[in-house]
Amino acid sequence: MGFSDSQLPRLSFLNPQIFLSDVADIAAVFAFMSDDLAASPQEAVALIHRCPDLLLGSADHCLRPTLAFLRNLGIKNLNSPTSLNAHLLNLRVGKLQEKIRFLESLGLSREEARRVCARLPAIFGYSVENNLMPKFEFLTDVMGRTIEELKGFPQYFAFSLEKRILPRHLHLKERGVRVPLQRMLLWSDQRFYAKWK
């Protein structure tokens, strides 16, 4: 199917269950990659290399429903062999829906939650308890920001609370400065700290 000899040890180490899999099931995954995902043979190999668990997913019961859900959100180019795409394709629809329900619980409408996920698909891989909720609570309870700001800049969730959000918030607070989330977080350290010395 296009794997090189050098790729096989990693594949078998991370996913030894492939040796117990039916060849027809593995072939169905490659057929899904080609027919449904429109991935070239090289893209399919690269996606599986990034997430070997894809080989264990049922094309009919797991991969196709997930692909349909992601495309329905407006997420495109899922055949591009990135780690994010590989892991997104390996998620089950129930896990994807969990994140939408979480965003709705914060006060976003269903359509707004779907737009946030489409703009920041990496959110599907974040833990609600250990990542998303602490960041949301920090945003509203400590920073005094609103849900409207989050809707405008959902990439907020992509930044580290300890390494980026908290230090920059404290730096601005000490100086009595308040800036939009985008300026606060997107600027490089050099530009940010030079602007507000």
Side-chain angles (χ1 to χ4, degrees), residues 168 188-195:
R168 290 192 177 193
S188 68
D189 280 346
Q190 182 179 5
R191 185 179 179 196
F192 176 85
Y193 289 106
K195 174 75 174 175

Side-chain angles (χ1 to χ4, degrees), residues 49-194:
H49 185 63
R50 284 169 172 78
C51 183
D53 284 347
L54 284 169
L55 282 178
L56 298 178
S58 163
D60 289 332
H61 299 108
C62 300
L63 299 173
R64 282 191 185 94
T66 295
L67 178 62
F69 187 90
L70 293 170
R71 282 183 172 164
N72 191 38
L73 284 178
I75 299 173
K76 299 177 182 176
N77 302 318
L78 287 160
N79 61 316
S80 178
T82 65
S83 292
L84 174 60
N85 284 346
H87 290 283
L88 282 175
L89 290 167
N90 193 49
L91 292 172
R92 302 299 171 255
V93 171
K95 284 282 187 187
L96 299 171
Q97 290 171 330
E98 271 180 27
K99 296 304 186 308
I100 290 181
R101 285 193 296 271
F102 166 73
L103 291 170
E104 289 175 319
S105 76
L106 302 181
L108 280 74
S109 70
R110 184 159 190 79
E111 191 51 44
E112 288 169 337
R114 290 167 60 86
R115 278 199 302 270
V116 165
C117 292
R119 285 178 64 185
L120 184 67
I123 199 170
F124 289 119
Y126 300 158
S127 162
V128 169
E129 296 78 19
N130 300 321
N131 189 314
L132 299 175
M133 186 54 85
K135 287 177 183 175
F136 178 74
E137 289 173 346
F138 189 84
L139 178 82
T140 56
D141 300 346
V142 178
M143 294 172 65
R145 305 279 183 149
T146 67
I147 191 74
E148 295 305 316
E149 290 183 87
L150 185 62
K151 291 176 190 178
F153 188 65
Q155 295 89 337
Y156 166 82
F157 282 126
F159 292 94
S160 167
L161 181 57
E162 294 78 17
K163 295 179 181 175
R164 188 89 159 202
I165 299 169
L166 173 62
R168 290 192 177 193
H169 166 70
L170 293 176
H171 185 80
L172 292 173
K173 187 177 179 182
E174 288 170 359
R175 285 149 185 79
V177 175
R178 186 178 176 94
V179 298
L181 284 176
Q182 194 165 348
R183 276 178 77 190
M184 174 183 163
L185 297 172
L186 282 181
W187 285 14
S188 68
D189 280 346
Q190 182 179 5
R191 185 179 179 196
F192 176 85
Y193 289 106

